[in-house]
Amino acid sequence: MAWHQVTNTSSNNDIANVLAGTKGVNVMSPTWFYLNDNKGNLHDIASTSYVNYCHSQGVEVWALFSNLENKEVDTSYVLTHTSTRHNLVNQIIAAAIQYNLDGVNLDFEAIDTSVGDAYIQFVRELSIKCANNGIILSVDNYVPTSYTAFYNRAEQAKFADYVVIMGYDEHTLGDEAGSVASIKWVTEGVTNTLASVPAEQIILGMPFYTRVWELTPQDTENVEVSDETSYKVTSSVYGMSNAAKNLANNNVTAEWSKEYGQNYAEWTVDNSIFKVWLEDSDSIEEKLKLVDSNSLAGAAFWKLGFETSNIWDTIIKYIN
């Protein structure tokens, strides 16, 4: 599965070119729907012609339904009130039928722990109507941690067809400098998910992006290089090609880190230190080995457009 970030209706018209740039993709997940008010109604930028084209190429469409885009919406309110939750379920099913979707990819994030039970009830109710209409249900999840236990992956697995591990954002904006998806962290995420979800229901999500970290001294007169607290730490997201160009522009060569399962590079410009743990064909292959060795259901990739063309030759070695 490949997530295709679509931000407006005109972007749907490029599906032929987008799909032509991939190899082995059998499911597209366009970002078409999000929770748009406290009544459970959806914002919709979907396209029937997009779905029809994918179907003509033998590719299924599992549209993504999110709760992140409209910051004015209170997800907790929608999920904990029966009428609004039912309306949301009905809206999702109506959209799936209207656009002839093969599946639903549920991406509800940043939920408050207090509404864990309501969220699981939402998944149950949605799964029943998906099953009744022949619609596949996949649910996106963070890697397991104590503070995301309320997402109750074991209960999800009883109702959803697939549980998707979002195997990225190990370090993100506001964190200390670090990898987006080191192999140890991803491996632990897979192992811990397998403790509650059958392998044949798990899809491992992988990043086509990385973060380039910049550490700028707070005090240029008295700075200890080994002490990261002495620096202002910022980062920017780069796709694979742009990350490689950044290294080339700075005459930097990355070196393989077995510990991280990634190529790592570090360089200095003026007083600032730059660090990057690269996502490339080498790092993606390490993650694909986890899919293979654990007999997982498949892999997913965020997001199309961030990858280099050679990545698909690596992917099809492991994903049929």
Side-chain angles (χ1 to χ4, degrees), residues 100-114:
N100 195 25
L101 302 178
D102 304 282
V104 165
N105 180 234
L106 189 64
D107 185 41
F108 272 45
E109 302 181 34
I111 297 171
D112 190 86
T113 57
S114 64

Side-chain angles (χ1 to χ4, degrees), residues 18-184:
V18 170
L19 201 54
T22 69
K23 291 181 182 179
V25 171
N26 58 9
V27 176
M28 290 287 284
S29 182
T31 59
W32 277 342
F33 304 95
Y34 60 79
L35 185 57
N36 203 34
D37 62 32
N38 289 341
K39 297 179 181 179
N41 294 313
L42 295 170
H43 180 77
D44 172 359
I45 54 171
S47 163
T48 300
S49 60
Y50 181 112
V51 175
N52 290 342
Y53 182 78
C54 287
H55 287 171
S56 75
Q57 302 301 305
V59 175
E60 294 186 3
V61 179
W62 300 0
L64 184 142
F65 292 78
S66 169
N67 70 322
L68 298 175
E69 283 73 14
N70 189 334
K71 305 303 181 184
E72 301 300 316
V73 175
D74 184 348
T75 303
S76 295
Y77 179 91
V78 174
L79 293 181
T80 55
H81 287 74
T82 303
S83 61
T84 54
R85 190 176 65 243
H86 285 178
N87 184 51
L88 174 58
V89 168
N90 290 334
Q91 291 272 313
I92 293 172
I93 296 301
I97 293 171
Q98 176 183 348
Y99 294 104
N100 195 25
L101 302 178
D102 304 282
V104 165
N105 180 234
L106 189 64
D107 185 41
F108 272 45
E109 302 181 34
I111 297 171
D112 190 86
T113 57
S114 64
V115 296
D117 289 344
Y119 172 72
I120 291 300
Q121 184 61 22
F122 168 51
V123 172
R124 291 190 191 104
E125 292 167 356
L126 178 59
S127 72
I128 292 169
K129 292 203 172 186
C130 281
N132 289 341
N133 289 278
I135 300 163
I136 294 167
L137 175 60
S138 60
V139 183
D140 299 340
N141 284 270
Y142 303 112
V143 298
T145 58
S146 59
Y147 52 86
T148 63
F150 69 92
Y151 276 88
N152 200 340
R153 295 159 186 82
E155 194 68 12
Q156 286 183 34
K158 294 178 182 178
F159 296 92
D161 296 287
Y162 297 102
V163 172
V164 184
I165 304 171
M166 296 184 290
Y168 39 80
D169 283 351
E170 176 184 1
H171 294 86
T172 187
L173 189 65
D175 288 347
E176 63 182 10
S179 170
V180 164
S182 67
I183 192 61
K184 179 181 178 182

